[in-house]
Amino acid sequence: MVGELVTAGVALACTGTVYLMAAARVVKQYERGVVLRLGRLVSEVREPGFTMIVPIVDRMRKVNMQIVTMPVPAQEGITRDNVTVRVDAVVYFKVVDAADAVIRVEDYRFAVSQMAQTSLRSIIGKSELDDLLSNREKLNQGLELMMDSPAIGWGVTVDRVEIKDVSLPETMKRSMARQAEATRDRRARVINADAELQASRKLAEAAEAMSDQPAALQLRLLQTVVAVAAEKNSTLVLPFPVELLRFLERSGLQAQAQTVAAEAERDGVQRPAPAAPRASRTAVEHGAEAALQPELADLPPVEDLP
């Protein structure tokens, strides 16, 4: 009798142990447990920690609540300005309702992947090439709105969508490179022309300032000579402006006239100052005209000419 009781107790303990092992479940912190009892959803979603289910009757499915990073395969499409491009993207989403993710959709990951591909192809057809290359933030927001609306019914929310790369045909790349080169060449020419204009204005101001003080031109010439001599060249090219010659000529004539006047005052005899080359040339011209006047007077009138 005692042996039978011991055997029954051992059998009962083994059965209880097997039941506990079959019924015990551990839900991790980033998971939620959805329990189906005889095919029907149990309203209570199991929270993280240790939980129990009814063996054979209950089935529990764990749903990951972490943010999922899903790459979207590259999609080829034609933009609104008729350019063939190939675009790939990345989708960040997470499950917010574990029961809806299990009951309302067969495989929420596959569903999100297919929806991302169709949305990406749709956004390519609605956009232009310039928007795909430079205005990606706006396209990302449009993709997120297109995917988030149906995903809410699956218990999934789309956190963000990022366009990763835009592949262009080789002909389009060469055309864009030529366009960028032409634009930079135009900017360089405009900047060079603007610099020449500013330099010409400054040179005009400098010339106007030097015209008031002829000695400034000579000082500038000496500075140029010093700058050229600093290079240790064997040959020195020295520019000599005509204005400086005229200045030196006037200075020499004035000094000569002052010397003659001083000598005349000292000797008490007034000596005429030598005339400038221009004055003598003018006198010669006037003398020639005076000599020709009598000959012109002897000619007959125009009416008597045959």
Side-chain angles (χ1 to χ4, degrees):
M1 187 67 181
V2 176
E4 293 178 355
L5 291 175
V6 172
T7 303
V10 171
L12 184 61
C14 292
T15 304
T17 302
V18 172
Y19 178 82
L20 290 175
M21 292 177 62
R25 294 289 186 274
V26 176
V27 180
K28 298 179 181 179
Q29 181 65 38
Y30 55 85
E31 295 177 338
R32 298 294 183 271
V34 179
V35 178
L36 298 175
R37 181 168 296 168
L38 297 177
R40 296 176 63 88
L41 175 66
V42 178
S43 58
E44 181 182 359
V45 177
R46 305 300 171 89
E47 296 296 327
F50 180 79
T51 185
M52 298 286 292
I53 62 174
V54 179
I56 302 175
V57 177
D58 293 344
R59 292 287 185 272
M60 188 176 73
R61 183 174 175 180
K62 299 178 182 179
V63 180
N64 194 332
M65 306 296 289
Q66 292 176 316
I67 295 178
V68 181
T69 302
M70 178 180 291
V72 181
Q75 301 297 311
E76 187 172 353
I78 301 176
T79 61
R80 194 166 61 181
D81 49 355
N82 298 326
V83 178
T84 303
V85 295
R86 189 177 180 87
V87 183
D88 55 354
V90 180
V91 181
Y92 301 89
F93 69 93
K94 64 179 178 179
V95 178
V96 293
D97 192 333
D100 290 342
V102 173
I103 300 300
R104 293 182 178 272
V105 63
E106 180 181 3
D107 187 352
Y108 67 90
R109 289 176 178 266
F110 181 75
V112 171
S113 175
Q114 294 300 311
M115 182 178 58
Q117 295 180 32
T118 54
S119 300
L120 184 58
R121 295 179 69 90
S122 177
I123 206 71
I124 291 173
K126 295 179 181 179
S127 305
E128 295 184 356
L129 180 61
D130 293 339
D131 295 333
L132 289 174
L133 296 177
S134 60
N135 197 11
R136 293 189 181 182
E137 188 66 27
K138 183 178 179 180
L139 298 180
N140 294 338
Q141 294 177 1
L143 278 172
E144 183 178 347
L145 291 176
M146 292 177 65
M147 295 179 59
D148 197 30
S149 299
I152 290 295
W154 306 335
V156 178
T157 180
V158 178
D159 187 60
R160 62 186 304 174
V161 183
E162 294 287 344
I163 294 178
K164 217 170 38 169
D165 187 22
V166 178
S167 300
L168 301 176
E170 292 298 328
T171 55
M172 181 59 63
K173 290 181 180 180
R174 288 194 295 268
S175 299
M176 294 177 67
R178 288 195 299 268
Q179 179 184 1
E181 184 178 357
T183 302
R184 293 185 179 275
D185 189 15
R186 178 179 61 85
R187 291 179 182 176
R189 292 185 179 182
V190 170
I191 292 173
N192 190 16
D194 192 12
E196 291 292 339
L197 177 60
Q198 294 180 5
S200 62
R201 290 177 179 175
K202 294 299 181 181
L203 289 175
E205 294 177 1
E208 184 179 358
M210 288 182 179
S211 63
D212 297 336
Q213 298 293 334
L217 185 61
Q218 186 177 4
L219 293 176
R220 182 58 185 168
L221 177 60
L222 295 177
Q223 291 179 359
T224 305
V225 172
V226 171
V228 174
E231 299 295 333
K232 298 181 180 180
N233 296 325
S234 58
T235 304
L236 178 60
V237 179
L238 180 62
F240 209 73
V242 179
E243 290 79 3
L244 183 58
L245 292 175
R246 293 175 181 176
F247 171 73
L248 295 176
E249 181 182 2
R250 289 195 298 267
S251 300
L253 293 176
Q254 291 177 0
Q256 186 177 1
Q258 291 177 0
T259 304
V260 171
E263 291 178 356
E265 291 178 358
R266 184 183 62 186
D267 299 340
V269 180
Q270 185 175 0
R271 299 179 183 177
R278 293 184 180 177
S280 60
R281 182 179 179 182
T282 305
V284 173
E285 292 177 355
H286 283 295
E289 291 179 358
L292 290 174
Q293 285 180 359
E295 297 179 0
L296 294 176
D298 296 337
L299 293 176
V302 179
E303 292 81 359
D304 299 338
L305 293 175

